[in-house]
Amino acid sequence: MVYGFGIFLCRQVIFPHYLLFSGVRVATLALTPYRYWPALILGEEIWLVPLTVECWSQFGVLWGLLNLIPATTYVGSFVWLARQHQLLEARKKQVHVGVLLTCALAVSLASTAYNLLLYSVEALPDGYLSIHPYHQMASQWLLGNFIGILTVAPLALALYQASAEYGWKNLLHRAAESRFVFEGIFLVLPVFALLIWLGLTVSHARGAAQICLFLPVVWLALRHGWQGAAWGGTLASLANLALMPEKFASNYVSSFDHHTVQAEVIIAFAISTMLLVGARIGVLNGRAEQERKDVCVALDLARNNLHLGELQLRATSQALEQIRETVRSGYAMMLGRLRHLQPAIDDGGYQRVALVAQDQIYRLADGLHPVTWRERGLPAALREGAVARALDEAGIRYVCDLRGPISLLSMTLHMVIYRVICEAIAEGCQRRDISDIVLHVRSGEVGERRGVAIRVSFGRQPARLAQVKWDELMLRLARSTSSLGIKALQARVATFEGLVSERELPEGRRISCLMLEP
């Protein structure tokens, strides 16, 4: 009954070139389960019986018998075929726009053929066919059914897809925060209102205003996919209807308007094209979003592996520290035994060997995971850690400048900052042509995320360059780095969505990088 009453209401606003009830019929059949289809046919039949009885004597018996056939019966066959060809994908809750447009065209052709059949069997006065030739009525009915379907069906399916994805309860909440709704209210609706105002108030501007109604449809489709084209197409069709010179005409002659039909042809073409283009844009956006998610998953996996690797290095470093203590205790015990057995023996050489072994183990442990970092944090590790001591002992001037809320960064990013700086210093020292290193670390907000910028500047002072102990320095740097150069540096930075840049300067070289908090 509700369906039949809806068809009845739509038939109150009827023009040969704008048949809104066709769109209601297709949308209802597309979204209604098959078990309710007999009830839909019965609901439309209940409305058709009184109309047929009233017009039986005027249009003839044959017309009455044909008019008793509900349009839902033959329209339902095309919608059933469309649903069998995945008009609505149940798993992904998506709409196949190509199948929808094919179904709309097939329904329009079938409805036009049915209307022409009714028109041909009507008992009309003599001379009526000369006023309304078949080709004119056929073109208007075809256009009216097609534009009516494009006005209602895509919008109904877009609402169905949104409700299936978010649920009816959350749909209004998401709509209030949606950029699409914001642009529609404050950009698209004012444009349609302006075009309607121009068409109604400015002389000779109505035709141009009607034709320009397709522009917002194109803009919405390019911005928001086929759903934008669906909403824009509905608004454009209704705006075009508002610009008709005779909006509630009682006969086909007064309701026909050349500019309105011309605008509807353009709008129908724009809606159809933009639905297809928007669907393609949606597919490409879906692929891009999936690729973005895959990249995020890969980056998370890489960060987790990096963190696990650092934990293993830390455990190894702590184990070496324990071994260092064991070596110290072992040497002390051995020297005590030697003094007991040979009191006059000189144990200075043994002590030096013990100190060298302990120092080597300490440097190895500190290179794997800085002891200063574990005890006093990242700033102390950068200023006083293994790399800083190695540079100082090798004769290279090293300056460290830290600014910003570095302590607010995660421990994972702290770890990578230290490794990146070590890799950058090792890369800068590969040429053995520097004597000064100036490190700048800046932490702050990058958009809505925390980030850190690192700049390592390498300078040359000929007076100090000859005094640098390169062999010892490169050996100690190799313990704290991967020795893979710029590739390792780029890989670490890319894991945190950053970039590395190199720049040759007249007095040296500069390596810069930017990383973001995960």
Side-chain angles (χ1 to χ4, degrees), residues 53-169:
V53 172
E54 180 182 354
C55 302
W56 186 291
S57 59
Q58 181 179 358
F59 297 113
V61 176
L62 183 57
W63 178 91
L65 293 176
L66 292 175
N67 192 63
L68 286 174
I69 301 175
T72 307
T73 55
Y74 61 84
V75 172
S77 61
F78 294 104
V79 177
W80 178 82
L81 288 174
R83 293 177 65 167
Q84 293 300 114
H85 288 80
Q86 299 296 320
L87 172 62
L88 298 173
E89 297 185 20
R91 292 182 179 179
K92 299 182 179 179
K93 302 297 183 182
Q94 293 182 352
V95 178
H96 198 301
V97 176
V99 175
L100 173 62
L101 292 177
T102 304
C103 177
L105 182 59
V107 170
S108 301
L109 291 172
S111 299
T112 301
Y114 176 72
N115 290 337
L116 287 176
L117 180 61
L118 287 176
Y119 186 59
S120 64
V121 299
E122 289 179 354
L124 299 175
D126 296 336
Y128 192 81
L129 290 178
S130 61
I131 301 176
H132 298 286
Y134 276 90
H135 68 276
Q136 178 180 334
M137 299 306 299
S139 61
Q140 290 188 61
W141 274 325
L142 180 61
L143 175 62
N145 283 287
F146 192 63
I147 196 69
I149 296 173
L150 294 183
T151 300
V152 179
L155 179 59
L157 294 177
L159 288 173
Y160 163 79
Q161 181 176 344
S163 65
E165 183 175 358
Y166 305 113
W168 287 109
K169 294 182 179 179

Side-chain angles (χ1 to χ4, degrees), residues 106-399:
V107 170
S108 301
L109 291 172
S111 299
T112 301
Y114 176 72
N115 290 337
L116 287 176
L117 180 61
L118 287 176
Y119 186 59
S120 64
V121 299
E122 289 179 354
L124 299 175
D126 296 336
Y128 192 81
L129 290 178
S130 61
I131 301 176
H132 298 286
Y134 276 90
H135 68 276
Q136 178 180 334
M137 299 306 299
S139 61
Q140 290 188 61
W141 274 325
L142 180 61
L143 175 62
N145 283 287
F146 192 63
I147 196 69
I149 296 173
L150 294 183
T151 300
V152 179
L155 179 59
L157 294 177
L159 288 173
Y160 163 79
Q161 181 176 344
S163 65
E165 183 175 358
Y166 305 113
W168 287 109
K169 294 182 179 179
N170 299 326
L171 189 58
L172 293 178
H173 176 70
R174 294 190 62 89
E177 300 177 351
S178 173
R179 187 177 183 88
F180 172 59
V181 175
F182 176 82
E183 292 176 355
I185 294 175
F186 294 100
L187 294 178
V188 177
L189 288 180
V191 171
F192 280 122
L194 177 62
L195 291 174
I196 293 174
W197 177 78
L198 289 175
L200 295 177
T201 59
V202 181
S203 59
H204 307 295
R206 183 175 63 86
Q210 287 178 308
I211 294 176
C212 291
L213 290 174
F214 80 95
L215 295 176
V217 181
V218 176
W219 186 80
L220 284 174
L222 296 179
R223 288 279 294 171
H224 302 285
W226 76 268
Q227 293 90 343
W231 283 93
T234 300
L235 294 175
S237 299
L238 296 177
N240 186 52
L241 186 66
L243 288 174
M244 288 181 61
E246 298 290 343
K247 301 180 181 59
F248 301 101
S250 59
N251 56 74
Y252 290 165
V253 177
S254 59
S255 66
F256 179 79
D257 176 65
H258 176 72
H259 291 293
T260 300
V261 173
Q262 184 181 27
E264 285 186 347
V265 171
I266 296 176
I267 292 173
F269 177 77
I271 296 175
S272 304
T273 306
M274 289 301 104
L275 284 173
L276 293 173
V277 173
R280 184 58 181 172
I281 292 175
V283 171
L284 296 178
N285 289 340
R287 291 178 182 175
E289 181 66 18
Q290 185 61 42
E291 291 177 359
R292 188 189 67 81
K293 291 180 180 178
D294 293 342
V295 169
C296 290
V297 171
L299 288 177
D300 288 338
L301 182 61
R303 293 177 191 130
N304 291 335
N305 290 335
L306 196 62
H307 183 66
L308 293 176
E310 286 294 330
L311 292 179
Q312 292 176 350
L313 290 177
R314 180 174 180 173
T316 304
S317 177
Q318 291 175 341
L320 289 174
E321 282 291 313
Q322 295 175 359
I323 293 174
R324 176 170 171 263
E325 292 298 325
T326 303
V327 170
R328 184 184 64 80
S329 301
Y331 268 104
M333 182 182 299
M334 182 186 68
L335 292 176
R337 294 288 181 87
L338 287 175
R339 290 193 193 99
H340 179 71
L341 295 175
Q342 299 179 358
I345 191 172
D346 182 11
D347 59 355
Y350 293 104
Q351 291 180 358
R352 285 191 296 272
V353 171
L355 291 175
V356 169
Q358 293 177 52
D359 183 65
Q360 289 178 346
I361 294 175
Y362 174 78
R363 290 183 178 183
L364 180 59
D366 197 40
L368 291 176
H369 199 277
V371 178
T372 310
W373 183 8
R374 295 201 301 265
E375 296 176 350
R376 299 164 55 192
L378 178 62
L382 294 178
R383 293 190 177 104
E384 307 168 12
V387 175
R389 291 196 305 271
L391 294 174
D392 182 66
E393 294 173 6
I396 292 181
R397 176 177 170 268
Y398 173 70
V399 178

